[in-house]
Amino acid sequence: MDDKLYLMTIVIVILTHTHGDYVPALQDILEKEFVQTVKSGADTVNIETAEDSINILVTIVFRTEFEKENRAKLEKEFHSLLMSIFRHTDRELPVLNLFVVTDRSSLETCKRSVRSVLSLMVSEQIISGREEVRIQKMKFNFVDMLDIVDKHNENISEMKKYFGHAATEGQEAKHMVDKEGREYEVMFYNKYNHNLFYLSPYLVDVLPVDKVIQLDLDLIFRVPIQELWDIFDKFSNSTLVATAPDLSPHYYHETAAYRTATPGSRLGLPPHQGLNVGVALLHLGQMRGDRAWQYWRGVEGVKTLAQKYRYRSNLAAQDWLSLLRWEVPDLVMLLDCTWNKQINNLFNPNIDDIEEEEEDLFPGCKEEAKIVHNNHAAMII
């Protein structure tokens, strides 16, 4: 038994070192530091990419107060995400550029996690009896979260006033009343106070590429990622982001004050509900020259959006982008729900029954998923 385990270890090492055009050595990941970010006003990028390469971005931050549990969960999700992408790749890409946004305190743990995921991918292929072990060509780029936070701290703080309602991280009970006067509480896990959930409007200032797909970790691809990347070809000159609708009644409830003040408004109802940014195509090249994008992500723009729509909630930059789409629809392309089919579309997963009216208004996604989103939300207490 020990001999077999030892032999498998040797095989893995040889394989990862003999694929010169793939990940040449897992040790190389541990030697990587943060990439150089785009300089202010830069018109060119400094990451070499092939014409048909694909850029994807994930955020992985390990917080020390629950690192062990957090690390295991994120590693499992990260592994499942990558494996689902590779299993459904219908042709070999010249290179898959993976940008991992993290912070300095998490960098070493993050690099070990990436290495662990890749090792497991190789091991699984060997155990399954494959004669040829293949790893998609990948280039790893670690991005320092603080490069964004330091530059946009004032803007992020303004967003937190409206889109991160909890004063501290942890659990918070929100008192709610339904239309018949029944009282109940929803337990929110206020992780959205963390800076990492406010980065997407400002990625354009640090990523040295023109297009990127931003992905949550809790996703499973069921189609080739090339099909998602090809949607960039459908962008107009004014389109900056493409993302799918949020399938829950969350934005319907959070816009009640606006509808009361604006008789006849259907804001928060399909097709004018909010967005879910678990899958988001970001055209950074067009963002860099767009004055509207620069304004709306700033302090005055954030304040204007929140006050106009009488909005205060807790889903960070996702809330901001939802309001921006209502205000300037041309900036955001709406993907169909199959590109982000959320498993939890009630927002309160412990509610067995929802009101019949809401069930009709928010029927979920009936089509077969291209990407499954194993999202989590609030809990009734």
Side-chain angles (χ1 to χ4, degrees), residues 184-212:
Y184 62 99
E185 287 187 329
V186 176
M187 179 66 78
F188 287 93
Y189 293 94
N190 300 318
K191 63 180 182 180
Y192 296 110
N193 274 327
H194 196 288
N195 287 330
L196 68 95
F197 296 103
Y198 296 85
L199 302 182
S200 57
Y202 312 107
L203 291 173
V204 61
D205 295 335
V206 298
L207 290 189
V209 293
D210 285 340
K211 300 173 185 175
V212 69

Side-chain angles (χ1 to χ4, degrees), residues 102-115:
T102 188
D103 59 16
R104 291 198 175 275
S105 64
S106 302
L107 180 60
E108 294 305 316
T109 305
C110 186
K111 289 191 286 188
R112 289 195 299 269
S113 296
V114 172
R115 186 184 185 193

Side-chain angles (χ1 to χ4, degrees), residues 50-102:
E51 184 177 347
D52 50 353
S53 62
I54 288 178
N55 306 313
I56 63 176
L57 176 141
V58 297
T59 301
I60 306 177
V61 173
F62 299 101
R63 284 169 278 178
T64 55
E65 63 268 26
F66 51 95
E67 178 176 333
K68 184 176 180 181
E69 179 183 355
N70 187 36
R71 177 179 176 179
K73 175 179 180 293
L74 294 183
E75 281 187 354
K76 181 178 180 180
E77 290 178 342
F78 187 37
H79 171 254
S80 297
L81 170 63
L82 286 181
M83 286 302 295
S84 71
I85 291 174
F86 297 147
R87 285 171 179 153
H88 291 93
T89 299
D90 56 4
R91 66 181 185 275
E92 186 177 307
L93 302 170
V95 64
L96 182 66
N97 286 307
L98 178 60
F99 292 90
V100 181
V101 180
T102 188

Side-chain angles (χ1 to χ4, degrees), residues 145-154 156:
M145 186 179 77
L146 291 182
D147 279 347
I148 307 172
V149 176
D150 287 347
K151 183 176 181 180
H152 295 284
N153 184 58
E154 186 179 4
I156 291 173

